[in-house]
Structures are given as C-alpha cells and as structure tokens.
Amino acid sequence: HGLIDADAEKTRLTKRLAELEKSVAALKGRLSNAAYTDKAPAHLVQQTRDQLTAAEKELEAVRVEVASL
C-alpha cells in the first residue's frame, strides 16, 4: 500500500527485462549453432537448454509484472 516506488520498480523491471531478452537471444544463438551442439559435450548442451528454459520463464514473469504496473 504505497510502500513500493512504482516508478523505481518499473525502471528496475524494465532493465531486468532487457537483460533477460539479451540472455535468451544469446542462448538461442548458441543452441542454433551446429558447431556448438555437435561438438560440445552433451551435458553442456543440456545445461544451455536448461538455462534457456529458466530465462524464458523469468522473462515471461517479468513481462507480466511490468504489464501490471
């Protein structure tokens, strides 16, 4: 009830949104690179997929938060 500065929170979330979008794009780029997926150890490729999934989930959550402000 008025304890959170809405403008500051929106600024923080917008910055986090940009960071997540950049991270998702980088992870997708890495996974779309056949040289990486063919040559990297399977556990690293899976780790990258897991990171992508987590980043996409957080990205969606932040988008919902930004929209609700």
Side-chain angles (χ1 to χ4, degrees):
H1 302 289
L3 297 176
I4 296 175
D5 181 347
D7 290 335
E9 184 66 3
K10 189 166 188 172
T11 300
R12 183 187 72 78
L13 289 173
T14 302
K15 182 178 177 182
R16 183 66 182 143
L17 190 65
E19 292 169 354
L20 288 166
E21 288 171 342
K22 184 177 177 181
S23 178
V24 165
L27 291 167
K28 283 183 177 181
R30 189 179 309 160
L31 289 170
S32 68
N33 181 350
Y36 173 73
T37 56
D38 292 344
K39 295 178 184 176
H43 74 278
L44 289 181
V45 175
Q46 185 58 50
Q47 183 180 26
T48 302
R49 287 185 183 120
D50 294 344
Q51 289 172 336
L52 176 59
T53 299
E56 288 175 329
K57 285 180 183 178
E58 185 178 353
L59 179 61
E60 185 56 34
V62 171
R63 282 183 176 150
V64 169
E65 274 191 77
V66 168
S68 71
L69 292 179

